[in-house]
Amino acid sequence: DTEGLLRIKEENQKHYRRAQRHQEKKEKIQRHNRRLGDLVEKKTYDLRTQYEHLAKLRRTHILELTSVIFPIEEVKTSMRDPADVSSESDNAMTSSTVSKLAEARRTTYLSGRWVCDDHNGDTSISITGPWITLPNNGDYSAYYNWVEEKKTTQGPDMEHNNPAHTISAALCYATQLVNTLSLILDVNLPKKLCNRQVNTRGESETSFGLNHEFCGENLSRHKFTRAVKKLNANILHLCFSQHVNLDLLHPLHTLRNLMYLVSPDTENLGR
């Protein structure tokens, strides 16, 4: 029994010494973890600082881009409310008729259905200059109506101020701006709208000179509508990535959504 007791004491001493070594190793690991935690916290702070600096640089580049090359502005129109004009011509008109006229003015027949648009007829959005605008309500029917008329009309097109040309140019510039913004913000777009330029030999070269989607050959109604939907989807995707106020966005307002995206009031622009 005495010999057995001695063996047990020796084993207990071994376990005690091993426990001490384990305790020292545990404390060493804890000190290492604390150092790693402090390092991770410092790196996280540095990374957050770099993100903020990068966001400021992106914001500066975007504001410079949209002020020098692609300015987007709201253009006021001189159209008067038909309800006001009618009420002036007929003093006996009831208030219900005036309200119905005002409601009709805010309603647009778009793509086979009636769409309510509070900005209809009041303003339009311009890009690169006040002469290149898009209808505020997203009704681009003037383009494919002009294309259908061109198919049946022979001879050169002499209408330099044709609204279809303005719509095509505005959508072309909007596509170029969206593709450039995606590069600056490092955001992958869900839809592909490429910019291509065709040289005299007919070879395709990657360039930002000419947008094949809108500024090339005349598009059919189906192709044009499909391209516009892709452009609107890309713009909304960028707006979502920059946390633009959802109450300001409308799926059909191409340039207005872009204007909200690149506005200096957008707090998270560049994130």
Side-chain angles (χ1 to χ4, degrees):
D1 293 339
T2 303
E3 292 176 356
L5 179 62
L6 291 175
R7 286 195 301 271
I8 293 175
K9 287 183 178 180
E10 291 178 357
E11 291 178 359
N12 288 341
Q13 290 178 353
K14 291 181 181 179
H15 291 318
Y16 179 75
R17 290 193 295 268
R18 183 180 300 176
Q20 285 183 329
R21 290 195 301 270
H22 289 169
Q23 181 66 25
E24 292 175 356
K25 186 180 295 185
K26 175 185 176 182
E27 294 176 355
K28 183 179 179 180
I29 293 175
Q30 288 177 344
R31 290 193 300 269
H32 181 69
N33 288 340
R34 283 195 295 268
R35 288 196 299 268
L36 287 181
D38 296 338
L39 180 61
V40 169
E41 185 177 356
K42 182 180 181 300
K43 292 292 185 180
T44 302
Y45 175 78
D46 294 340
L47 180 62
R48 190 183 304 112
T49 304
Q50 291 295 329
Y51 276 147
E52 293 175 356
H53 178 65
L54 180 60
K56 291 180 180 178
L57 288 178
R58 288 172 172 173
R59 183 184 183 90
T60 301
H61 290 328
I62 291 174
L63 295 180
E64 183 179 2
L65 177 69
T66 54
S67 63
V68 178
I69 303 178
F70 294 101
I72 301 178
E73 298 177 350
E74 190 171 7
V75 180
K76 297 291 184 179
T77 60
S78 58
M79 295 177 59
R80 300 184 63 188
D81 196 321
D84 298 336
V85 177
S86 300
S87 61
E88 291 176 2
S89 61
D90 186 5
N91 295 328
M93 180 176 294
T94 62
S95 59
S96 61
T97 306
V98 174
S99 62
K100 290 180 179 178
L101 285 174
E103 181 181 359
R105 177 175 172 270
R106 294 190 298 267
T107 308
T108 304
Y109 188 75
L110 181 61
S111 300
R113 62 190 182 91
W114 291 99
V115 178
C116 181
D117 185 4
D118 293 336
H119 301 283
N120 184 19
D122 292 338
T123 61
S124 58
I125 309 298
S126 66
I127 183 171
T128 70
W131 52 88
I132 301 180
T133 62
L134 282 182
N136 186 64
N137 58 0
D139 183 9
Y140 307 143
S141 58
Y143 177 86
Y144 41 79
N145 289 339
W146 171 75
V147 172
E148 294 175 357
E149 292 178 0
K150 285 285 293 181
K151 293 180 180 179
T152 58
T153 304
Q154 301 296 329
D157 179 25
M158 302 303 293
E159 298 182 12
H160 299 290
N161 295 325
N162 193 302
H165 296 163
T166 304
I167 292 175
S168 178
L171 292 174
C172 174
Y173 287 136
T175 303
Q176 293 180 0
L177 175 58
V178 168
N179 290 341
T180 306
L181 291 177
S182 69
L183 295 176
I184 296 176
L185 296 173
D186 195 21
V187 176
N188 294 327
L189 298 176
K191 304 295 181 180
K192 184 178 180 181
L193 280 175
C194 59
N195 300 85
R196 293 186 297 176
Q197 177 179 333
V198 180
N199 61 17
T200 55
R201 292 177 298 177
E203 299 176 358
S204 177
E205 298 178 353
T206 302
S207 173
F208 284 98
L210 178 64
N211 181 17
H212 178 71
E213 294 287 347
F214 297 107
C215 291
E217 60 184 7
N218 297 330
L219 301 176
S220 64
R221 178 169 183 171
H222 173 71
K223 291 182 178 180
F224 179 82
T225 304
R226 182 172 177 269
V228 170
K229 288 181 178 180
K230 290 166 65 176
L231 175 59
N232 288 334
N234 288 341
I235 293 174
L236 289 176
H237 182 73
L238 288 178
C239 291
F240 299 154
S241 71
Q242 303 306 300
H243 292 177
V244 178
N245 187 1
L246 299 182
D247 296 333
L248 300 176
L249 302 178
H250 191 286
L252 300 179
H253 295 174
T254 306
L255 290 185
R256 183 172 289 276
N257 293 340
L258 259 181
M259 183 178 67
Y260 289 137
L261 171 65
V262 301
S263 172
D265 297 332
T266 304
E267 298 179 357
N268 296 300
L269 181 61
R271 62 179 296 274

